[in-house]
Amino acid sequence: MAGSPRRAASRRLQLPLLCLLLQGATAILFAVFVRYNHETDAALWRWGNHSNVDNEFYFRYPSFQDVHVMVFVGFGFLMAFLQRYGFSSLGFTFLLAAFALQWSTLVQGFLHSMHQGHIHVGVESMINADFCAGAVLISFGAVLGKTGPAQLLLMALLETVLFGINEFVLLSLLGVKDAGGSMTIHTFGAYFGLVLSRVLYRPQLEKSKHLQGSVYHSDLFAMIGTIFLWIFWPSFNSAPTTLGDGQHRTALNTYYSLTASTLGTFALSALVGEHGRLDMVHIQNAALAGGVVVGTAGEMMLTPFGALAAGFLAGTVSTLGYKFFTPILEAKFKVQDTCGVHNLHGMPGVLGALLGVLVAGLATHEAYGEGLDSVFPLVAAGQRTTASQAMHQLFGLFVTLTFASVGGGLGGVLWRPHASQPLPPSPPPNRAPAEAALPGLPSGSPVL
Amino acid sequence: MAGSPRRAASRRLQLPLLCLLLQGATAILFAVFVRYNHETDAALWRWGNHSNVDNEFYFRYPSFQDVHVMVFVGFGFLMAFLQRYGFSSLGFTFLLAAFALQWSTLVQGFLHSMHQGHIHVGVESMINADFCAGAVLISFGAVLGKTGPAQLLLMALLETVLFGINEFVLLSLLGVKDAGGSMTIHTFGAYFGLVLSRVLYRPQLEKSKHLQGSVYHSDLFAMIGTIFLWIFWPSFNSAPTTLGDGQHRTALNTYYSLTASTLGTFALSALVGEHGRLDMVHIQNAALAGGVVVGTAGEMMLTPFGALAAGFLAGTVSTLGYKFFTPILEAKFKVQDTCGVHNLHGMPGVLGALLGVLVAGLATHEAYGEGLDSVFPLVAAGQRTTASQAMHQLFGLFVTLTFASVGGGLGGVLWRPHASQPLPPSPPPNRAPAEAALPGLPSGSPVL
Amino acid sequence: MAGSPRRAASRRLQLPLLCLLLQGATAILFAVFVRYNHETDAALWRWGNHSNVDNEFYFRYPSFQDVHVMVFVGFGFLMAFLQRYGFSSLGFTFLLAAFALQWSTLVQGFLHSMHQGHIHVGVESMINADFCAGAVLISFGAVLGKTGPAQLLLMALLETVLFGINEFVLLSLLGVKDAGGSMTIHTFGAYFGLVLSRVLYRPQLEKSKHLQGSVYHSDLFAMIGTIFLWIFWPSFNSAPTTLGDGQHRTALNTYYSLTASTLGTFALSALVGEHGRLDMVHIQNAALAGGVVVGTAGEMMLTPFGALAAGFLAGTVSTLGYKFFTPILEAKFKVQDTCGVHNLHGMPGVLGALLGVLVAGLATHEAYGEGLDSVFPLVAAGQRTTASQAMHQLFGLFVTLTFASVGGGLGGVLWRPHASQPLPPSPPPNRAPAEAALPGLPSGSPVL
């Protein structure tokens, strides 16, 4: 017990010092590497004699803002369904996403958009950084309640790098299409988090099950998250696609897919519920699976019917996952998936990747016409057949699963020693500072 | 009592089977009829050698997203003011709207946009489908707490068809202008729901009055709905208007009208309140009447002063309606208008239709110039005088009231036998599955 | 005590009559002065043979909507963190902002956009009016709980005029740049409110300290405000800038600044918190300081690194302000700053103004190229050096502080006699009409 006050002090300083260190490091890297791109720079833009209407800002900023709402409002409130972790969910979402936006601007910039030694930023880099933050938050959902803010920041530090590399391998090296990120965001984020959660598994968390309940009001707050995710998902999937028909079609497909996953979720939830009752957890989550499942194929000529069919399948599978698979995952595989990311992001993400394989394989020159160049440029250029494109898509899924699993495992091994304290006592939840201390968190750590 | 378990089982299957049936039917109809339009289809868009900036997506998608927020966040949370029906309001809003989007794409497509046997979809059909969902949710507000999800889905099935026909008669056959839907959405949705509520009237609901109370937190949730409706209403009314000045002017008029209805609501609410106290129900609802009242005339040269005057009138009438007319409606006419849709959508909708008559009748070639062609094409083409346009507008209101009343009555007669069970016991509201079972709902039915 | 019922009746009529009077006055002024501008008027727009895509609506309306969300959702819910003032915050925000939009359209119109005796309105005037409403709400935050709705309306009446004059002096007479309003909105609104709060100081308010607590749910509602402010701040700062690179760069700078203020806030909050605990009040407010601090310089060539540095500084200063300066402000200066507007808007606003001085002073022809004309037109025209521009920026800050202080003092002197009643008893907060009566409010006044 000697040295305990000293250890408490060092734990106390953990989060502040880590924040300052990370912020200092990104600021220096920004100073050295990051520059306005030609649409954001006063001299470059005006020099080019452009029409303002051609500035990418006007094509992508409304979509960006919707994505931004999803990342901060959507994910934040969706995870607030646990009555004891409302503040933690919202606060740590805020912290993690803010850091991920900076760090991922650098990582993605180094990998994708270096020009003469500089990273050029603008609305597209903003969208890409938000996408990476989305993946980090999905993983956060899988370890919610297991670890504190400093550990989460370190998770974001690692995951952002792996996210960037995986994305680079898929999009740039393999020529895989994945505009809305069924693979790069949802599959990657889910399995990274689930493997991490598995490695951090501790049986005594079982005892804190009573902390994981939701209450009436926390469920209503969670619905804020659900609904904002649902309505803006068409913008999410379409934000980085080619302009014109590409963005238009992706938004439309996502919109239809979500309506069908909602109907599928209600049908299945009532079917498997006790006394035919609908389960709020299904509604809050599985209804969104329609957005995940068309993350890859939404940009393609999926057809409106295809969007409905895919969405319905995703809503169904996701609901069944909550009912039957989550308990098995915990009992057999020792993965505590509190937020059900396997059901919302994992399985629908994999399904979405497979749907992309299918739709790419079925693509014809007739169906895409001149537009083939923007959806499958390598096929249009004659460098690939559609069958080859489909195989590349499938290979992209395996690459993603590999990166996510190895990355999550690596993270777990690194932080396991720091996340093994017993549970602190849990005061009643009526006041913010008295929110249930996070189970397993070193007791001197900063918590919300 | 024999056969009771069997009946319970059949009730249990009611919602799942209905969802699956409806989803299956729309999916088949989508496969046969629904196709991407020329701005959404890769081959058609690229073939046309268009500039991306001309894609309708960039003119209408931001408005669409605001409308989407209103339908799902706005209506959903606005109805969450009842402490016992928070989940039902949000959950059933979600289910009904998701179904209505699909079904109305088909109905409106058959009536408005068939091309060589196919329905062509894009951002405009998305906006139109959301408008229909809005009308369905207005009607839902009138029967909130009276019926369960399966009955509500059947209501949406019928109402969407009648909505589409009424809209077709007004816009296509009569050449009536109604961009923001004072008639087609608000008047139609309100009176359809109120007549339905009248037919479903049961005196024993009186006894459940205590379930209809709001509490502090549920009122704050309702304010989320109110404020999002308020801020995005300019986008709602302007979403389907002609581009350029039409969209710009409609948004501006709606913005002014809402500020005035807010001031009118606060003035009247304090005036008629006990001890001069403001009533949250008035603020939550009547402040929005300014959006409804310029749903028809907002597109016209209403002038900024006209927008203020109309908004103020609507806020005033709506507040007085809550105070004096709602009790009469229930006592004398046996219409239980829990959410006050008559005050927010009914009366302001009719006022809005009459305002459209007035402003159309006062239109001059001088005031509209070349723009007359886009606002009143038949007048510009010399096929009608402004007086004739005004009479057509007025006739459109009567058509709408007729369709709404007959449709609501028809729906009530069809479902009345299924909605006459006594109230189930009401457990305390602290947990989701224990939310007050909906009064009058068959006790084996799925409820949130 | 004689005449007391009469006085109660007159107080009861205070709010209704004031609303009616103000609405009547603005309506008459609108009728006389306000006209659609050439992009909103059917005849003028169509006459000009414009392309619809050139209508300012499509460049600014998405930004406007984000600003609108911030004013009504952001400010409204941010102030709802006090459990006893949730309704007052939301309701009075609604009333004040609705009035300010109308009144400021007139004031700003008279000062900025008179054309042949008429005020021309369109999407730009909508944005400017929302900006003024923002300043009014910042001041409201400083007097929250001290005064009732009628006094607040009078405050808005005065403040809007002074806001318009100050803005006119800065932007039109002094040629100061302040797109996002570090000076005109944040500094002005904060010091106007703080001086007003100082003049209205009454020691007995001390006793009502227990009314100022937040609870778990009210803190979650406040987070709705925080997050919507955070995500849409890039739109706020960029809404009125020059199109093209100007809007793009401002949004990007604000986005980076906010991420850094968030990291700075978490670092400092954990550092100064008891036992290293994060404080929800810091997260809710100081994380936003990054938006305020780039309100002036965000439009300039601040560089992404500059945005990070500025944001981090602002988050840090703001958090330290909550911890150390707010108690001093109350104890020594008798300023009760319940919402901490000095920390969120005051200090970061002044810092933002100084940052603008610095970045303007460092501007070079090389860095801005042809774009110098749009950012610093007087420098580009050779009428000023950059040093002179910097001095004008600095002078603008002093002008703003003077207008704000004198205005706030004037307002306080005018209303002090009406705001000195003792506290009414405070019933429990479970029902809306029973919300804690506002301390210091005449007991017959309308309260929410």
Side-chain angles (χ1 to χ4, degrees):
Chain A
M1 286 297 177
S4 176
R6 203 157 149 194
R7 278 177 57 205
S10 95
R11 273 181 202 138
R12 219 194 125 136
L13 289 173
Q14 204 177 40
L15 182 64
L17 290 181
L18 188 61
C19 285
L20 295 175
L21 184 73
L22 292 175
Q23 181 59 79
T26 57
I28 292 169
L29 291 168
F30 264 61
V32 177
F33 291 109
V34 180
R35 298 292 179 272
Y36 297 128
N37 72 11
H38 76 281
E39 299 185 310
T40 319
D41 185 283
L44 296 176
W45 178 253
R46 297 289 161 175
W47 183 79
N49 199 17
H50 302 287
S51 165
N52 283 326
V53 80
D54 293 328
N55 197 300
E56 194 91 357
F57 184 79
Y58 299 105
F59 291 94
R60 301 216 185 264
Y61 188 70
S63 305
F64 162 73
Q65 280 295 38
D66 294 350
V67 172
H68 219 39
V69 171
M70 290 174 71
V71 169
F72 286 87
V73 177
F75 283 109
F77 278 97
L78 184 61
M79 289 189 275
F81 77 103
L82 294 171
Q83 61 162 319
R84 305 298 286 272
Y85 296 117
F87 290 135
S88 308
S89 303
L90 282 166
F92 298 166
T93 289
F94 208 5
L95 174 66
L96 286 185
F99 169 66
L101 294 185
Q102 291 182 26
W103 180 228
S104 144
T105 299
L106 289 163
V107 171
Q108 294 179 320
F110 283 126
L111 291 165
H112 293 287
S113 55
M114 285 295 278
H115 303 276
Q116 299 162 318
H118 287 140
I119 294 165
H120 287 192
V121 291
V123 69
E124 284 189 90
S125 71
M126 290 161 77
I127 291 169
N128 288 330
D130 266 67
F131 276 7
C132 176
V136 169
L137 294 177
I138 291 167
S139 302
F140 172 39
V143 297
L144 182 64
K146 285 201 177 54
T147 182
Q151 284 77 14
L152 289 168
L153 275 175
L154 292 173
M155 178 192 86
L157 184 74
L158 173 67
E159 184 172 358
T160 297
V161 174
L162 294 173
F163 175 92
I165 296 174
N166 182 58
E167 191 186 47
F168 177 71
V169 172
L170 264 67
L171 306 191
S172 301
L173 300 188
L174 295 178
V176 162
K177 299 297 286 189
D178 192 28
S182 288
M183 289 177 270
T184 53
I185 301 169
H186 299 288
T187 303
F188 179 83
Y191 289 99
F192 183 98
L194 290 167
V195 172
L196 181 56
S197 176
R198 172 64 190 83
V199 181
L200 299 179
Y201 178 80
R202 280 152 303 137
Q204 73 267 34
L205 273 184
E206 288 298 300
K207 294 168 201 149
S208 64
K209 264 288 167 80
H210 67 283
L211 292 176
Q212 297 187 1
S214 68
V215 289
Y216 199 89
H217 283 120
S218 66
D219 268 331
L220 285 179
F221 280 112
M223 283 300 284
I224 297 176
T226 299
I227 297 179
F228 275 104
L229 287 168
W230 199 92
I231 54 187
F232 287 149
W233 215 299
S235 302
F236 189 93
N237 285 348
S238 67
T241 63
T242 50
L243 301 181
D245 65 295
Q247 227 170 346
H248 202 156
R249 182 172 58 248
T250 312
L252 186 69
N253 285 333
T254 309
Y255 165 89
Y256 286 134
S257 180
L258 285 161
T259 61
S261 62
T262 304
L263 278 158
T265 298
F266 274 84
L268 269 285
S269 182
L271 197 64
V272 302
E274 278 180 70
H275 309 298
R277 278 185 183 281
L278 294 161
D279 185 328
M280 278 309 273
V281 169
H282 303 163
I283 312 297
Q284 282 160 9
N285 291 279
L288 297 167
V292 177
V293 81
V294 294
T296 301
E299 189 183 4
M300 306 173 187
M301 290 291 285
L302 176 62
T303 79
F305 163 75
L308 287 186
F312 181 77
L313 179 68
T316 307
V317 167
S318 184
T319 307
L320 293 175
Y322 276 98
K323 180 72 182 180
F324 301 110
F325 197 62
T326 297
I328 294 174
L329 207 58
E330 179 149 1
K332 296 278 163 71
F333 297 94
K334 299 189 175 173
V335 178
Q336 291 154 323
D337 184 12
T338 315
C339 292
V341 303
H342 189 252
N343 308 307
L344 172 49
H345 301 281
M347 289 189 296
V350 171
L351 277 179
L354 296 175
L355 182 66
V357 173
L358 180 71
V359 181
L362 294 174
T364 63
H365 284 265
E366 196 194 348
Y368 289 80
E370 299 290 314
L372 191 63
D373 186 47
S374 68
V375 183
F376 298 116
L378 297 174
V379 177
Q383 297 176 27
R384 271 185 197 172
T385 61
T386 53
S388 164
Q389 178 68 35
M391 293 315 296
H392 280 82
Q393 296 283 139
L394 185 62
F395 187 58
L397 174 61
F398 287 110
V399 171
T400 300
L401 288 169
T402 307
F403 266 105
S405 309
V406 173
L410 182 67
V413 170
L414 289 175
W415 305 315
R416 196 181 160 85
H418 303 285
S420 55
Q421 262 69 11
L423 289 174
S426 302
N430 62 319
R431 277 293 299 130
E435 171 160 286
L438 296 171
L441 200 70
S443 56
S445 294
V447 289
L448 279 179
Chain B
M1 285 299 178
S4 176
R6 206 159 148 192
R7 276 178 58 205
S10 94
R11 276 184 201 137
R12 219 196 123 133
L13 289 173
Q14 205 178 38
L15 181 65
L17 290 182
L18 188 61
C19 285
L20 295 175
L21 185 73
L22 292 175
Q23 181 59 78
T26 58
I28 292 168
L29 291 168
F30 264 62
V32 177
F33 292 110
V34 179
R35 297 292 179 273
Y36 297 127
N37 72 10
H38 76 282
E39 298 185 309
T40 318
D41 185 283
L44 296 177
W45 178 253
R46 298 287 161 174
W47 184 79
N49 198 15
H50 302 287
S51 164
N52 283 326
V53 80
D54 293 328
N55 197 301
E56 194 90 358
F57 183 79
Y58 299 105
F59 291 95
R60 302 216 185 263
Y61 187 70
S63 306
F64 161 73
Q65 280 295 37
D66 293 350
V67 171
H68 219 38
V69 172
M70 291 175 71
V71 168
F72 286 86
V73 177
F75 283 109
F77 278 97
L78 184 61
M79 288 189 275
F81 77 103
L82 295 170
Q83 61 161 318
R84 305 300 285 271
Y85 297 116
F87 290 134
S88 307
S89 303
L90 282 166
F92 297 166
T93 289
F94 207 7
L95 175 64
L96 287 184
F99 169 65
L101 294 185
Q102 291 182 27
W103 180 228
S104 143
T105 299
L106 290 163
V107 171
Q108 294 178 321
F110 283 125
L111 291 165
H112 293 286
S113 53
M114 286 294 278
H115 303 276
Q116 299 162 317
H118 287 139
I119 294 166
H120 286 192
V121 290
V123 69
E124 285 189 88
S125 71
M126 290 161 76
I127 291 170
N128 288 329
D130 266 68
F131 276 9
C132 177
V136 169
L137 294 178
I138 291 167
S139 303
F140 171 39
V143 296
L144 182 65
K146 285 201 176 54
T147 182
Q151 284 77 13
L152 289 168
L153 275 175
L154 292 173
M155 178 192 86
L157 184 74
L158 173 67
E159 183 171 0
T160 297
V161 173
L162 293 173
F163 175 92
I165 296 174
N166 181 56
E167 191 185 48
F168 177 71
V169 171
L170 264 68
L171 306 190
S172 300
L173 300 188
L174 296 177
V176 162
K177 299 297 286 188
D178 192 29
S182 288
M183 289 177 270
T184 52
I185 301 170
H186 299 288
T187 304
F188 179 84
Y191 290 98
F192 183 98
L194 290 166
V195 172
L196 181 57
S197 176
R198 172 66 190 83
V199 181
L200 297 179
Y201 178 81
R202 279 151 306 136
Q204 74 266 33
L205 272 185
E206 288 298 301
K207 295 170 201 150
S208 64
K209 264 288 166 83
H210 67 283
L211 291 177
Q212 297 187 1
S214 68
V215 289
Y216 198 90
H217 283 120
S218 65
D219 268 330
L220 285 179
F221 280 112
M223 282 300 284
I224 297 176
T226 298
I227 296 179
F228 275 104
L229 286 168
W230 198 91
I231 54 186
F232 287 148
W233 217 298
S235 302
F236 189 92
N237 285 347
S238 67
T241 63
T242 50
L243 301 181
D245 65 295
Q247 225 169 348
H248 202 157
R249 183 171 58 249
T250 312
L252 186 69
N253 286 333
T254 309
Y255 167 88
Y256 285 135
S257 180
L258 285 161
T259 61
S261 63
T262 304
L263 278 157
T265 298
F266 274 85
L268 269 287
S269 181
L271 197 64
V272 303
E274 277 180 71
H275 310 300
R277 279 187 182 279
L278 294 161
D279 185 328
M280 277 310 273
V281 170
H282 302 164
I283 312 296
Q284 282 160 9
N285 292 279
L288 297 167
V292 177
V293 81
V294 296
T296 302
E299 190 183 5
M300 306 173 187
M301 290 291 285
L302 176 61
T303 79
F305 164 75
L308 286 187
F312 180 77
L313 179 69
T316 307
V317 166
S318 183
T319 306
L320 294 175
Y322 276 98
K323 180 74 182 179
F324 301 110
F325 197 62
T326 298
I328 294 175
L329 208 59
E330 178 148 1
K332 296 278 163 69
F333 297 93
K334 298 189 176 171
V335 177
Q336 291 157 323
D337 183 11
T338 316
C339 292
V341 303
H342 189 252
N343 307 308
L344 171 50
H345 301 282
M347 289 191 295
V350 171
L351 277 179
L354 297 175
L355 182 67
V357 173
L358 179 71
V359 181
L362 294 174
T364 63
H365 283 266
E366 196 195 348
Y368 289 80
E370 299 291 315
L372 190 63
D373 186 47
S374 67
V375 184
F376 298 117
L378 296 175
V379 176
Q383 297 176 26
R384 269 184 197 172
T385 62
T386 53
S388 164
Q389 179 68 35
M391 293 314 296
H392 280 82
Q393 297 282 140
L394 186 62
F395 187 58
L397 174 61
F398 286 111
V399 171
T400 300
L401 288 168
T402 308
F403 266 103
S405 309
V406 172
L410 181 67
V413 169
L414 290 173
W415 305 313
R416 196 181 160 83
H418 304 286
S420 57
Q421 262 68 13
L423 290 174
S426 302
N430 63 320
R431 277 295 298 129
E435 172 162 285
L438 296 173
L441 200 71
S443 57
S445 294
V447 288
L448 279 180
Chain C
M1 287 297 179
S4 176
R6 204 158 149 194
R7 277 177 56 205
S10 94
R11 273 183 202 139
R12 218 194 126 135
L13 289 173
Q14 204 178 41
L15 181 65
L17 290 181
L18 187 62
C19 285
L20 295 174
L21 185 73
L22 292 175
Q23 181 59 79
T26 57
I28 292 168
L29 291 168
F30 263 62
V32 177
F33 292 110
V34 180
R35 297 293 179 271
Y36 297 128
N37 72 10
H38 75 282
E39 298 185 308
T40 319
D41 185 283
L44 295 177
W45 177 254
R46 298 288 161 175
W47 183 79
N49 199 16
H50 302 286
S51 165
N52 283 326
V53 80
D54 293 327
N55 197 301
E56 194 90 358
F57 183 78
Y58 299 104
F59 291 94
R60 302 217 185 262
Y61 187 71
S63 305
F64 162 72
Q65 281 294 37
D66 293 349
V67 172
H68 219 40
V69 172
M70 290 175 71
V71 169
F72 286 86
V73 177
F75 283 109
F77 278 97
L78 184 60
M79 289 189 276
F81 77 103
L82 294 170
Q83 61 162 318
R84 305 299 284 273
Y85 297 117
F87 290 135
S88 308
S89 304
L90 283 166
F92 298 165
T93 289
F94 207 6
L95 174 65
L96 288 184
F99 169 65
L101 294 185
Q102 291 182 26
W103 180 228
S104 138
T105 299
L106 290 163
V107 171
Q108 293 179 320
F110 283 126
L111 291 165
H112 292 288
S113 54
M114 286 294 278
H115 303 277
Q116 300 163 318
H118 287 139
I119 293 165
H120 286 192
V121 291
V123 70
E124 284 188 90
S125 71
M126 290 161 77
I127 291 170
N128 288 329
D130 266 68
F131 275 8
C132 177
V136 169
L137 294 178
I138 291 167
S139 303
F140 171 40
V143 297
L144 181 64
K146 286 202 175 53
T147 183
Q151 284 78 11
L152 288 169
L153 275 175
L154 293 173
M155 178 192 86
L157 184 73
L158 174 67
E159 183 172 358
T160 297
V161 174
L162 293 173
F163 175 92
I165 296 174
N166 181 58
E167 192 186 47
F168 177 71
V169 171
L170 264 68
L171 307 190
S172 300
L173 300 188
L174 295 177
V176 162
K177 300 296 287 187
D178 192 30
S182 288
M183 289 177 270
T184 52
I185 301 169
H186 300 288
T187 304
F188 180 83
Y191 290 99
F192 184 98
L194 290 167
V195 172
L196 181 57
S197 176
R198 172 65 190 82
V199 180
L200 298 179
Y201 178 81
R202 280 151 304 135
Q204 74 267 33
L205 273 183
E206 289 297 299
K207 294 169 201 148
S208 64
K209 264 288 167 84
H210 66 283
L211 291 177
Q212 297 185 2
S214 68
V215 289
Y216 198 89
H217 283 119
S218 65
D219 268 330
L220 285 179
F221 280 112
M223 282 300 285
I224 297 176
T226 299
I227 297 179
F228 275 104
L229 286 169
W230 198 93
I231 53 187
F232 287 149
W233 215 299
S235 301
F236 189 93
N237 285 346
S238 68
T241 63
T242 49
L243 300 181
D245 65 295
Q247 226 169 348
H248 201 156
R249 184 172 57 250
T250 312
L252 186 68
N253 286 332
T254 308
Y255 166 89
Y256 285 135
S257 180
L258 285 160
T259 61
S261 62
T262 304
L263 277 158
T265 298
F266 273 85
L268 269 286
S269 181
L271 197 64
V272 302
E274 278 179 69
H275 309 299
R277 278 186 183 280
L278 293 162
D279 186 329
M280 277 311 272
V281 169
H282 302 164
I283 313 296
Q284 282 160 9
N285 291 278
L288 298 167
V292 178
V293 81
V294 296
T296 302
E299 190 183 3
M300 305 173 188
M301 290 290 285
L302 175 61
T303 79
F305 164 75
L308 286 187
F312 180 76
L313 180 69
T316 307
V317 167
S318 184
T319 306
L320 293 175
Y322 276 97
K323 180 74 181 180
F324 301 110
F325 196 62
T326 298
I328 294 175
L329 208 58
E330 178 149 1
K332 296 277 162 71
F333 297 94
K334 298 187 176 176
V335 178
Q336 290 155 323
D337 183 12
T338 316
C339 292
V341 302
H342 189 253
N343 308 308
L344 172 49
H345 301 282
M347 290 191 294
V350 171
L351 277 179
L354 296 176
L355 183 67
V357 173
L358 180 70
V359 181
L362 294 174
T364 62
H365 283 266
E366 196 194 349
Y368 290 80
E370 299 291 314
L372 191 64
D373 186 47
S374 68
V375 184
F376 298 116
L378 296 175
V379 176
Q383 298 176 27
R384 269 185 197 171
T385 61
T386 52
S388 164
Q389 179 67 35
M391 294 314 295
H392 279 83
Q393 296 282 140
L394 186 62
F395 187 59
L397 175 61
F398 286 110
V399 171
T400 300
L401 288 169
T402 307
F403 266 104
S405 308
V406 172
L410 182 66
V413 170
L414 289 174
W415 305 314
R416 196 181 161 82
H418 303 285
S420 55
Q421 261 70 13
L423 291 173
S426 303
N430 62 317
R431 277 294 299 128
E435 171 161 288
L438 295 174
L441 199 71
S443 57
S445 295
V447 289
L448 280 179

